[in-house]
Amino acid sequence: MSEQKTNWWRDAVIYQVYPRSFRDSNSDGIGDIPGAIQGLPYLAELGIDAIWLSPFYKTPNKDGGYDVADPRDVDPMFGTLADAESLIREAHAHGIKVIFDIVPNHFSSEHKWFQAALAAAPGSPERKRFHFYDGRGVDGNEPPNNWNSLFNGPSWTRVTETDGKLGQWYLHLFDSSQPDLNWENPDVMEDFKTTLRFWLDRGVDGFRIDVAHGLAKDEILKDHRDPDGLTKALRVDTTDMTKEERVSLLTDMPFFDRDGVHPIYKEWRKVIDEYDGDRMFVAEAYIYPTSRLARYVRPGELHQVFNFDFLLIEWDADAIKEAILRVFDELKEVGAPPTWALDNHDSPRVVSRLKREAKARALALIAHALPGSLYIYQGEELGLPDGDIAPEFRMDPAFIRSGGKDLGRDGARIPLPWSSAERNFGFSDGTSWLPQPANYKEFAIDIELKASDSFLHLYKKSLELRKNHLGLGGDAGITFQPAPSGVVYFKRPAGFALLANTTESPVKLQIDEPAKIIHQSQPGSSVEGNSVTLAGNTTIWLQS
Ligand code: BGC
C-alpha cells in the first residue's frame, strides 16, 4: 500500500509561518492570523504549495505557543476561530494548502485538565492524565527520577496539595508550564482524536506533530545512568564530547523514540484516512540513529518525517553527499519521500550558522534541487540572519531556565521586515514584541523584490524551475558523479545536473555532456562546452 506518486505533499514546498512574527494586523505588536491572511499573496507569488503555521491556540505563551491551554480555540492575541477558518479558506483560494501544528507531548499548565489535576487528590483519574508521582527521599522531597528538562534544570516540579502541604511531582520534559501527558491513558488519545477531527472538519490539509518521538515513557521510575551527559548529547552545539559517547547516549533515550509511540500514530492515521483530500502528517523527531526515522513513515503510520541533516550540516562536499545518500537509503524500504530544511524556529538561521551568505545561498540551491518536499522557514527566503537581542527582550524558556547561559531561540524568531520605509519595517504599526535589528531594513521584502540579485529572487527562481520546468521535487532518481575534492556533482533526469563548490577557490572540471547554466547561487562561474569553471562557495544548475 505504497503512497500514490501524485500525493501533493510528496514534492511540496511548505513555508513555515511563525504567526507571532509574520505580520501584525491590529497594531498590538504581535503577528496574528489576519496578518498571515494578508501575507498570502506574497506567499503565492513566492511559489510555495503549502503553509505550516506554528501554534496559535489558547496559550499563556511561556514557550511561544507550544504551551497549549486549549488546542481547539485560538488565542485572542492571534485572532479568533473565525480567523483560523478564513485563513484555511483564503489559502485554498490562493491554491495553498494549510498545515497546523499539533502538540501532543504536553499541555500548558493552564489547560483545564491540569488545573483539575492540581485540585484533585494523588491517584485520582485527573492526575492520571499526566505523570504525577510521589517523590523519593525523606518526605518525598526528591524527584521521582533524575531526568533533566530539555530547557535546563530538572524535568520534575513538586506541587502544593490542596491541604497546603508539599505533595507529588509532575513530569515536564520542557518548561514546568508544559506538563507531559500520559499517553497510556485513553482519555488522552480520545481528546487528541477530537482535536484532529476539529481541524480536519474545518478543512486543514495536514498536521506537523510537535515532539512526535516523545509521547511514550515506559521506564519512568528508573534513573538514567548519565542525565547530564544525555542533556549535553541532545544539544546541537555540544562540541566537547566524543562521537562514541554521544552515540551511546542518544541510542537509548528513556523518553524519546520508544516503541510505544508507533501504535499512537497508527490510530491517528485511521482518523486522517477517514477524510478525503489527501491530508497528511509530518513528524518532528530528533532521534538517533536517523535510520529509525523511517519507522515513523511506515505504511499505515505518518506521511513524512523531518530530516534535520541540512539544519546542522557543515558546508562540506563529502558531508553533503553522505547526508543525501543516507536519507535515500534510510527511506527506500518505506517509500516515503525525503524532506529538506535549512532553517526553523528552533535553530540558528542558516546564514548565521554558516557565517557567510554565499554558503547559505549555495546550500539552498542544493536543497532546492533534491527529490522530496522542501520546508522553508519564514525569512529564510530573504536570507535573514539571526538578530542580537538584549536580554530584557528574550522570552525563550531555555534562556530563562538557564539563567541566560543558553541564549535560546529568540534570535531566529524576530519579526519579518516587509517594507523598508515603514515602522517596524512594515511588520506592525505598534511596538513589536521583539525589536528588529536596524540591519533588517536591507532584507525587507520591498527591497529584495527590487534587487534582481537578492536572496528572494534566488528562491523564487529555484521554486519556479523546480516545479514548473524541471519537476525536481519528483521521485525520479539522483545520480552522483565523480568530482574533484570539495565539489558536489549530481545529475537528475532530463539533462539536469548540479555542481557545488564548497571550497573558497575556483575549481575547473569537465562534465560529460555540454550544458548551459540555468541558475546559480552567485555569479562568477562559466561553462564552455564540457569545461566548467566553478567559483568558490557556489552552486550552479546545468541543463544539457
Ligand atoms: C518545538 C519547540 C518547542 C518544543 C516543546 C519543539 O520541538 O518546535 O519550539 O519549544 O517542541 O513544545
Side-chain angles (χ1 to χ4, degrees), residues 18 52 63-64 66-67 101 103 105-106 151 174 178 208 210-211 213 284 286 344-346 396-397 409 413:
Y18 191 70
W52 144 36
D63 181 23
Y66 283 90
D67 46 323
D101 214 313
V103 188
N105 183 67
H106 42 264
F151 288 159
F174 295 91
Q178 294 165 295
R208 177 258 189 194
D210 189 61
V211 199
H213 53 318
E284 182 218 24
Y286 270 108
N344 66 26
H345 66 295
D346 291 329
D396 188 340
R409 302 158 293 177
R413 298 175 175 182

